[in-house]
Amino acid sequence: MLNRYAIVLAAGKGTRMKSNLYKVLHPVLGKPMVQHVVDQLKTLDLASITTVVGFGAEKVQEQLGDDSEFVIQQEQLGTGHAVQQAESFLANKQGTTIVVCGDTPLLTKETLQAVLEHHEKEKAAVTILTAQADDPTGYGRIVRNAESQVSKIVEQKDATKEEQLIQEINTGTYCFDNVLLFEALKKVSNDNAQGEYYLPDVIQIAQQEQQKVVAYETEQFEETIGVNDRIALSQAEKLMKKRINEQHMRNGVSIIDPENTYIGVDVQIGTDVTIEPGSVLKGKTIIENDAVIGPNSEITDCHIGESTVMRHSVATSSYIGKRVQVGPFAHIRPEAAIGNDVKVGNFVEIKKSKIDNGSKVPHLSYIGDAEIGSGVNIGCGAITVNYDGKNKFKTTIEDDAFIGCNANLIAPVRIGKGALIAAGSTIHQDVPGESLSIGRAKQVNKEGYARKYNN
Ligand code: UD1
Ligand code: CA
């Protein structure tokens, strides 16, 4: 097996983001940038992934969890200094180390794999992933000698006017011979415009020591963008969105307005699903075949069954079965389990409740902490009264019960199979199956009273 290691640089504060959130934790399509990078690295055949953390170390560690090892960079003295922090972990290991910045979220595993292979095929000491940028402002530039070999990388702030015209940029991804990397880092100084220890200075050092330095130029500049501010963040979001949406469209999903459809990286969508404009699909959501989502629906970590239609609605951490009608304007909160052929209509909120096949909650209801059987009809405005200000209680409604409009079911309470609850009832005792329950004040008509009162 090849000895390949990865180092992810994620210790910077990201001053240019002007944010309380550490830069590498800013999300692109719902996933933090550094997680994008690590997820791509995870697919490669690597012996270890080490992330250098500093600012917001705990938060970054919490985000990445078991996906990475961690080393701390106490003071942010530059990218070279950052890599040096991994020395105790990696020094003396024979093999290749790929270094990636935590702020390049669009890099794909294919490109990372290609750089590694190029590096190993060339038997190089250093391989730099480079790209041609229309506007290279802000990036380190690749300076080549007369033989067009890379001689050094110069940062924007240290570049001469001429060097600033170079359009080939350092993407911040490199492969190094691991032993050479840590040897060369000892020789890097901070004598530059920013007073930092630059990782790219390793290139010049390797070059001077007659080591083989090569560049691997990718055609895909867009894949390599480094996100330093919120303008670049919005560009990354746009590019990632386009990439993901096109992938789904190629797989047989109709996206009516891809510019206005936001699908997270880990969302799975079946064939012949239609996504209407303004929809946002997040987390580990799964959408089965023939479903119609949107317009304007927000779905996070849900399973949506075949042929289900969900218009203008929000659903989170829930299971929704086949041929379910949701919305418009429904809110399905965490831990709902909704069966097949169910209707959850307008202005209905469901929380932590099970609703079995064929039941209907068509209008203006709150269903919380409930277990509803199959074939149940919940009338307009009927609600479960699940909370007494201190504790939550459960409502059980058995199969084929009919709950009249505006009924209050005060939990804990059980409505038996096939029972009828009269409209406007407030029910606080269990209702046996097949019974009619009426819990409302008796109506009294006082004839002629209104006429007298109004005169
Ligand atoms: C860096 C490169 C530049 C390249 C660009 C690509 C250097 C000196 N410059 O510039 O040549 O074109 O990336 O996007 O390397 N970090 C630390 N510790 C530090 C400093 C930075 O962990 O002390 C991390 C940051 O969190 C970030 C990454 O290293 O994820 C890159 O740092 P950043 O300040 O964004 O470098 P750039 O100026 O973009
Ligand atoms: Ca950067």
Side-chain angles (χ1 to χ4, degrees):
M1 136 145 180
L2 299 162
N3 291 324
R4 290 171 167 179
Y5 311 92
I7 298 176
V8 179
L9 304 184
K13 180 164 187 276
T15 315
R16 291 164 281 185
M17 295 298 278
K18 306 248 167 68
S19 174
N20 289 326
L21 185 66
Y22 306 104
K23 176 166 79 174
V24 297
L25 292 178
H26 274 265
V28 172
L29 273 178
K31 184 190 275 195
M33 293 200 275
V34 67
Q35 187 75 59
H36 279 286
V37 171
V38 170
D39 283 353
Q40 296 302 306
L41 286 170
K42 265 168 58 186
T43 65
L44 307 177
D45 191 16
L46 301 171
S48 67
I49 300 174
T50 306
T51 303
V52 185
V53 293
F55 273 101
E58 277 171 28
K59 292 263 160 55
V60 178
Q61 279 174 263
E62 197 182 304
Q63 170 62 42
L64 294 176
D66 295 338
D67 293 341
S68 177
E69 316 277 355
F70 300 96
V71 293
I72 308 268
Q73 185 191 25
Q74 295 293 358
E75 257 188 301
Q76 280 58 56
L77 303 179
T79 47
H81 179 258
V83 171
Q84 248 176 337
Q85 309 312 303
E87 189 166 359
S88 56
F89 235 86
L90 294 179
N92 307 325
K93 289 210 160 83
Q94 302 289 332
T96 300
T97 295
I98 181 165
V99 177
V100 190
C101 295
D103 64 355
T104 48
L106 292 155
L107 280 174
T108 60
K109 53 179 183 292
E110 289 79 13
T111 299
L112 296 172
Q113 177 75 18
V115 199
L116 275 164
E117 280 171 12
H118 189 77
H119 176 81
E120 283 158 0
K121 196 181 85 210
E122 291 287 319
K123 298 199 166 48
V126 186
T127 304
I128 311 147
L129 176 65
T130 72
Q132 296 290 339
D134 288 340
D135 176 10
T137 313
Y139 290 97
R141 309 295 207 285
I142 305 294
V143 180
R144 292 181 183 255
N145 61 20
E147 288 81 51
S148 105
Q149 289 160 332
V150 181
S151 55
K152 61 173 182 172
I153 294 174
V154 57
E155 291 304 301
Q156 170 85 28
K157 288 183 178 156
D158 302 294
T160 61
K161 282 258 162 342
E162 264 176 16
E163 287 167 337
Q164 285 186 14
L165 296 175
I166 299 173
Q167 287 186 300
E168 189 182 7
I169 59 122
N170 169 26
T171 65
T173 298
Y174 328 74
C175 291
F176 296 98
D177 172 279
N178 186 63
V179 172
L180 174 130
L181 169 63
F182 289 100
E183 282 305 312
L185 278 171
K186 293 190 181 116
K187 298 171 192 155
V188 170
S189 87
N190 63 352
D191 182 17
N192 52 52
Q194 304 189 79
E196 289 185 359
Y197 296 91
Y198 292 162
L199 176 61
D201 284 1
V202 165
I203 279 89
Q204 205 174 353
I205 292 165
Q207 189 66 268
Q208 283 158 2
E209 294 178 355
Q210 319 298 325
Q211 300 282 350
K212 187 170 181 184
V213 177
V214 300
Y216 177 82
E217 188 181 314
T218 168
E219 302 277 293
Q220 321 289 334
F221 165 71
E222 292 187 334
E223 201 184 289
T224 67
I225 64 169
V227 174
N228 294 328
D229 59 23
R230 304 217 195 203
I231 295 165
L233 184 65
S234 76
Q235 286 161 348
E237 180 92 13
K238 196 169 173 171
L239 290 165
M240 184 75 83
K241 180 176 70 184
K242 183 166 183 280
R243 181 193 291 173
I244 293 172
N245 288 353
E246 286 179 359
Q247 213 173 311
H248 287 298
M249 289 188 275
R250 272 193 280 272
N251 287 340
V253 177
S254 286
I255 301 180
I256 306 302
D257 184 359
E259 280 283 300
N260 286 300
T261 301
Y262 304 81
I263 303 174
V265 191
D266 301 322
V267 172
Q268 296 174 41
I269 309 180
T271 48
D272 286 318
V273 166
T274 301
I275 317 275
E276 300 278 0
S279 294
V280 184
L281 310 182
K282 303 192 215 172
K284 302 230 184 295
T285 292
I286 297 173
I287 316 256
E288 303 279 10
N289 298 348
D290 299 308
V292 178
I293 305 300
N296 301 322
S297 289
E298 180 184 347
I299 306 177
T300 310
D301 293 321
C302 286
H303 176 280
I304 309 284
E306 220 172 276
S307 302
T308 282
V309 177
M310 186 167 166
R311 295 186 295 143
H312 298 279
S313 292
V314 176
T316 309
S317 304
S318 290
Y319 182 96
I320 299 172
K322 299 177 189 177
R323 299 174 299 276
V324 174
Q325 302 284 322
V326 181
F329 312 111
H331 187 187
I332 298 178
R333 291 170 50 200
E335 292 182 58
I338 295 172
N340 300 331
D341 304 295
V342 168
K343 179 165 183 171
V344 178
N346 26 216
F347 308 107
V348 170
E349 177 178 338
I350 312 272
K351 187 217 81 173
K352 206 175 180 180
S353 293
K354 183 169 183 286
I355 303 180
D356 215 334
N357 298 343
S359 288
K360 294 185 169 54
V361 195
H363 347 258
L364 298 156
S365 284
Y366 170 64
I367 303 293
D369 304 306
E371 197 171 325
I372 298 180
S374 62
V376 169
N377 189 85
I378 308 280
C380 176
I383 65 165
T384 55
V385 183
N386 64 326
Y387 186 47
D388 64 3
K390 288 199 180 91
N391 296 301
K392 304 270 166 73
F393 300 96
K394 184 174 169 184
T395 301
T396 305
I397 304 175
E398 294 181 358
D399 296 349
D400 305 315
F402 183 96
I403 312 296
C405 288
N406 249 28
N408 294 312
L409 307 177
I410 301 182
V413 71
R414 171 181 290 270
I415 313 297
K417 187 169 168 7
L420 290 177
I421 305 297
S425 293
T426 292
I427 301 295
H428 58 98
Q429 284 168 4
D430 289 357
V431 176
E434 312 291 331
S435 325
L436 166 68
S437 183
I438 309 175
R440 64 191 184 206
K442 231 188 169 77
Q443 181 171 333
V444 181
N445 291 345
K446 300 197 172 180
E447 288 193 22
Y449 188 87
R451 195 180 336 115
K452 257 199 283 175
Y453 180 81
N454 289 332
N455 287 328

